[in-house]
């Protein structure tokens, strides 16, 4: 399984942050350009002598206040939809003041350019307000700007209303889409992070399950053979056999190390026939007679691997949790049944989820469309059943 590296995760996070900065700074630049244009109208009106110094200062201050607060309003509402704030109300009051102080020379041009300051505030307000409140606020703003422009330019209110409505809708919708674009980028980034975290969690689960399945059996046999060798070592006549048992312990330790490498690499291949032979040898070494009746010739490679895991887990449970003297293994048409007479009644009933090994086996088989059950049988035996697609 391919895992997302920390460096790649930081790179993706950096790209999302860069996209946010580009969107916000682009809007800052557009607002700054609008502010310079409107401020130029104030300076032009003052230079032509159509407005006084106090009028120019007041208009410039209201304009600068509205445009200066806009970047803060944008950042406040760019990631979430907050409740209307004091800044939003203050910017609205300043925008109304700027509209009231429109220079007569500017109004005389007939284009209503000065009213853009009100629409700029409206475009920020729609990021804070629910839909119905945004419509009501937009209607009030449109009425104010239309009345002001129509009065100062002496034009019929109908064409003025049409122009003002189009401008207001375009600016508000553009601002809403601007934020929606960022939300889409952010959600896509969050989705990638969630996918990467899920991949890491799945890989950890796979590793834990494989480590248990691979080492549980081998370490159980090592423990058994070490105990047997220790007993044999006390008898002079059994020195040769003890040496052989310790040689087996060494071999199993080497195999366990190799199996750890298999788990780390992510490969899960087991040979069913080899596993059956190994289980027979391990159980007989523990003093349990093992009877195997397995028809494996017609099984698919995937079914053979799954059944090999089931055989290994079943044998591990026999070695670790029972004192069995007899164990039978039957395989027919993708169905495995393992019975042993060393059943013990634990404090809690064991089932497919009773132990970590059985849980891992159940998860492995379920992913392939199979199933596993385990528990005491009616005849006083412990029965493990596993079914896989043949």
């Amino acid at each position: 399984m391919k895992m997302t590296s920390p460096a790649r995760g930081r790179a993706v996070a950096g790209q999302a942050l860069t996209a946010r900065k580009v969107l916000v700074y682009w809007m800052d630049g557009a607002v700054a350009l609008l502010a310079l244009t409107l401020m130029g109208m104030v300076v032009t009106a003052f230079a032509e002598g159509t407005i006084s110094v106090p009028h120019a200062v007041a208009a410039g201050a209201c304009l600068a206040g509205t445009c200066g607060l806009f970047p803060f309003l944008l950042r406040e509402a760019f990631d979430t939809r907050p409740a209307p704030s004091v800044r939003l109300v203050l910017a609205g009051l300043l925008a109304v003041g700027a509209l009231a102080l429109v220079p007569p020379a500017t109004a005389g041009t007939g284009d209503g350019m000065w009213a853009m300051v009100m629409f700029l505030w409206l475009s920020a307000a729609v990021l804070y307000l629910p839909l119905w409140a945004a419509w009501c606020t937009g209607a009030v703003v449109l009425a104010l700007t239309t009345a002001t422009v129509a009065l100062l330019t002496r034009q019929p209110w109908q064409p003025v209303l049409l122009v003002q409505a189009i401008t207001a809708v375009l600016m508000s919708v553009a601002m809403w889409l601007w934020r929606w674009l960022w939300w889409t980028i952010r959600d896509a980034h969050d989705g990638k992070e969630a996918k990467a975290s899920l991949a890491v969690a799945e890989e950890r689960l796979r590793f834990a399950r494989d480590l248990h399945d691979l080492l549980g059996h081998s370490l159980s046999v090592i423990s058994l053979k070490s105990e047997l060798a220790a007993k044999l070592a006390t008898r002079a006549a059994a020195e040769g056999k003890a040496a052989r048992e310790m040689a087996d312990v060494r071999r199993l330790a080497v195999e366990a190390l190799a199996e750890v490498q298999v788990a780390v690499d992510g490969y899960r291949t087991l040979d069913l026939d080899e596993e059956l032979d190994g289980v027979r040898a391990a159980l007989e070494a523990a003093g349990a007679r093992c009877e195997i009746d397995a028809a494996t010739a017609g099984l698919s490679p995937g079914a053979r691997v799954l059944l090999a895991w089931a055989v290994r887990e079943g044998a591990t449970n026999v070695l670790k949790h029972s004192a069995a003297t007899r164990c039978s293994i039957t395989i027919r048409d993708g169905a495995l049944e393992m019975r042993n007479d060393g059943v013990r009644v634990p404090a809690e009933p064991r089932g497919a989820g009773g132990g970590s090994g059985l849980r891992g086996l159940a998860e492995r088989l379920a992913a392939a469309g199979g199933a596993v059950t385990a528990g005491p049988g009616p005849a006083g035996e412990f029965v493990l059943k596993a079914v896989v697609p043949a």
Side-chain angles (χ1 to χ4, degrees), residues 144-193:
L144 287 175
T145 56
T146 300
T148 301
V149 173
L151 180 64
L152 294 177
T153 61
R154 296 182 176 84
Q155 297 184 69
W157 65 269
Q158 294 91 341
V160 174
L161 175 62
L162 179 61
V163 173
Q164 300 298 303
I166 293 175
T167 305
V169 170
L170 288 179
M171 288 188 65
S172 299
V173 171
M175 185 61 64
W176 182 86
L177 289 176
W178 205 253
R179 184 179 67 175
W180 173 83
L181 178 61
W182 160 240
W183 283 6
T184 301
I185 295 173
R186 182 189 61 190
D187 291 344
H189 169 256
D190 292 344
K192 288 182 179 179
E193 284 194 336

Side-chain angles (χ1 to χ4, degrees), residues 14-365:
Q15 291 173 358
L17 183 60
T18 300
R20 185 186 188 283
K21 289 181 178 179
V22 168
L23 292 174
V24 172
Y25 291 157
W26 185 283
M27 187 56 62
D28 289 346
V31 173
L33 181 61
L34 176 63
L36 289 175
T37 302
L38 296 180
M39 198 67 73
M41 294 180 178
V42 175
V43 173
T44 300
F46 173 74
E48 292 175 352
T50 56
I51 59 174
S52 63
V53 172
H55 189 162
V57 171
C62 289
L63 176 63
T66 303
C67 295
L69 285 173
F70 182 86
F72 298 99
L73 297 175
L74 178 62
R75 285 159 176 79
E76 193 175 60
F78 206 56
D79 294 312
T80 59
R81 185 192 294 277
S85 63
V86 175
R87 286 177 179 171
L88 182 66
V89 175
L90 178 59
L93 294 176
L94 290 172
V96 172
L99 182 66
L101 294 170
V102 55
T106 301
T109 61
D111 59 4
M113 181 67 180
W114 189 260
M116 292 287 286
V117 68
M118 284 297 300
F119 300 144
L120 178 65
W121 175 83
L122 178 62
S123 68
V126 298
L127 301 181
Y128 288 78
L129 303 174
L131 184 60
W132 67 269
W135 278 108
C136 293
T137 304
V140 173
V141 169
L142 190 60
L144 287 175
T145 56
T146 300
T148 301
V149 173
L151 180 64
L152 294 177
T153 61
R154 296 182 176 84
Q155 297 184 69
W157 65 269
Q158 294 91 341
V160 174
L161 175 62
L162 179 61
V163 173
Q164 300 298 303
I166 293 175
T167 305
V169 170
L170 288 179
M171 288 188 65
S172 299
V173 171
M175 185 61 64
W176 182 86
L177 289 176
W178 205 253
R179 184 179 67 175
W180 173 83
L181 178 61
W182 160 240
W183 283 6
T184 301
I185 295 173
R186 182 189 61 190
D187 291 344
H189 169 256
D190 292 344
K192 288 182 179 179
E193 284 194 336
K195 185 177 180 181
S197 298
L198 179 60
V200 171
E202 289 180 347
E203 180 63 15
R204 287 174 176 171
L205 179 60
R206 181 204 69 79
F207 185 81
R209 184 175 64 232
D210 282 4
L211 200 60
H212 176 278
D213 293 347
L214 288 167
L215 291 185
H217 174 75
S218 297
L219 294 179
S220 296
V221 178
I222 288 174
S223 177
L224 174 68
K225 286 186 172 290
S226 298
E227 181 181 356
L228 181 59
K231 292 178 180 179
L232 293 174
T234 61
R235 307 174 191 173
E239 290 181 358
K241 190 172 182 180
R244 289 194 298 272
E245 293 295 338
M246 291 309 298
D248 286 343
V249 169
R250 181 180 181 278
R251 176 181 57 80
L252 288 170
V254 172
E255 291 178 356
L257 178 59
E259 287 170 344
V260 170
Q261 295 172 343
V262 167
V264 172
D265 292 338
Y267 297 107
R268 306 180 181 184
T269 57
L270 289 179
D271 183 80
L272 178 57
D273 293 331
E274 291 182 1
E275 201 62 32
L276 288 171
D277 292 339
V279 164
R280 185 200 301 271
L283 291 176
E284 290 181 349
R289 182 165 55 91
C290 184
E291 299 173 355
I292 297 177
D293 181 12
T296 62
L299 296 175
S300 66
R304 293 175 65 88
V305 171
L306 292 173
L307 289 177
W309 282 114
V311 168
R312 169 169 288 201
E313 177 59 27
T316 300
N317 286 338
V318 173
L319 294 170
K320 292 172 61 176
H321 304 298
S322 77
T325 60
R326 182 179 59 83
C327 179
S328 65
I329 302 175
T330 304
I331 298 177
R332 286 285 185 277
D333 299 325
L336 164 72
E337 183 178 281
M338 292 186 66
R339 293 177 177 269
N340 73 84
D341 62 354
V343 63
R344 295 175 182 172
V345 181
E348 295 182 0
R350 290 179 60 86
S356 60
L358 287 174
R359 281 198 302 270
L361 180 63
E363 292 170 0
R364 190 189 301 275
L365 266 62

